[in-house]
Amino acid sequence: MSVSINKITVLGSGVMGHGIAQVSTMAGYTVTFRDIEQSFLDKAMEKIKWSLSKMVEKQKLSQADADKIFARITPIVDLKTALKDADLLIEAVPEDMNLKKKVYVEIDSNAEAKTLYASNTSTLPITDMAALTSRPDRFIGLHFFNPPQLMPLVEVIPGAKSNSGMVTMAMDFCKKVGKQPVLCKKDVPGFIVNRVFIPLVHEAVYCMERDGASMTQIDSAVKFRMSFPMGIFELADYTGLDVIHKATAEMHLRDKKVILPHPKIKQLFDEKNLGQKTGRGFYEYKGDKYERVNLTEQEAATYNPTSLLAVAANNAAWLLTNGVCDRAELEKALKLGMGLKKELFATVQEFGVQNVVKALQDLAAKHGQFYQPDPYLVNYRG
Ligand code: NAD
């Protein structure tokens, strides 16, 4: 299947949809933008205009080009009109399977036969969504990261029936919009990055409880000893506890073994302490500007994060054992999606593979199967 993509319809103009629409139009595509209310589309168009004006201010774009880019997006509420002549539909409606089901049935009765379908879901099964449509072979996951204008990674996830032409189309599309795609070969809960990231947030809370460590001790160790761009609690607050709670629930629903949920995440979500955006999550934030938590190398030296590293490595190992991606793609995804400054398995080697496996065995003995070391780690020889 070789297809030429010219016209794209983006469904949903929220956090992700407006960013995806913007990067698509900046790459030269003609974009139709659809939401359920004109006022949502108006707000999203304002955001795109603002973002383009910032690029003009920084001399990354000329005003004339910004105007042309903006003119290539047409906001439309009527679904049938929005889908007219679309080569590719990118769906970015809220992460709720019942809503997605409804939306795909609606799309399917209005889309033209040539339209290929892509979902920006973070956690929902691509195969199940594809099965709701008349074209499961021409359906794919296209998981952009937030914000799509800045984050370089897109996970490309074929469903069980996606044809190989869809994979080629999706990889080419990502490159054309200036992104670096990583192929997630199997439709597994959390795909690649969230499979490593989400359980780690829960583990950090367990570490705090079990080791009597403070948040800044753990975060300092994560940043300075595990080569993360920031602490794990800090990263959770930055991502949003709503995003983490919903991803947890979906991943856990799909497979109980992939995550050991700590109730603190749901508690923060229920309390509406969603992180930086609400002024409080794990940490408290004052003022409008994003403040970094004060993390130091001195504090990092006071906490040994081997069990946290072990949980991250164990989930990464699971992805490799199960043929979800190869090692190079895994490291690329973690670098671009989580900002790791060093390869995860290089950090594992620094800590000593035996120490990491031993930490998992000890945790498994005390806290159960979730921690059982993956064969890839047990047999790891560098
Ligand atoms: P959002 O709530 O910010 O935006 C969703 C938009 O979809 C809203 O404007 C809503 O009005 C609109 N919508 C609802 N029903 C619709 C319909 N029938 N047709 C068209 N539009 C409709 O959500 P979001 O954060 O942009 O998430 C969208 C998708 O992207 C979800 O699947 C989510 O899992 C995924 N995602 C989110 C993030 C993130 O950090 N927010 C990151 C990666 C992927």
Side-chain angles (χ1 to χ4, degrees), residues 152-174:
L153 181 67
V154 181
E155 292 175 335
V156 171
I157 313 107
K161 292 199 172 155
S162 305
N163 66 37
S164 61
M166 279 304 281
V167 175
T168 311
M169 180 285 297
M171 300 297 272
D172 290 348
F173 169 75
C174 292

Side-chain angles (χ1 to χ4, degrees), residues 11-17 34-36 40 91-95 99-100 102-103 106 119-124 143-146 239 243:
L11 219 68
S13 67
V15 174
M16 298 304 290
R34 197 257 167 173
D35 209 306
I36 44 177
F40 299 162
E91 168 270 310
V93 308
E95 190 79 331
L99 174 68
K100 301 254 193 208
K102 189 178 138 260
V103 166
E106 222 174 52
S119 174
N120 187 52
T121 181
S122 305
T123 51
L124 299 173
H143 181 212
F144 282 80
F145 285 66
N146 185 20
T239 306
V243 172

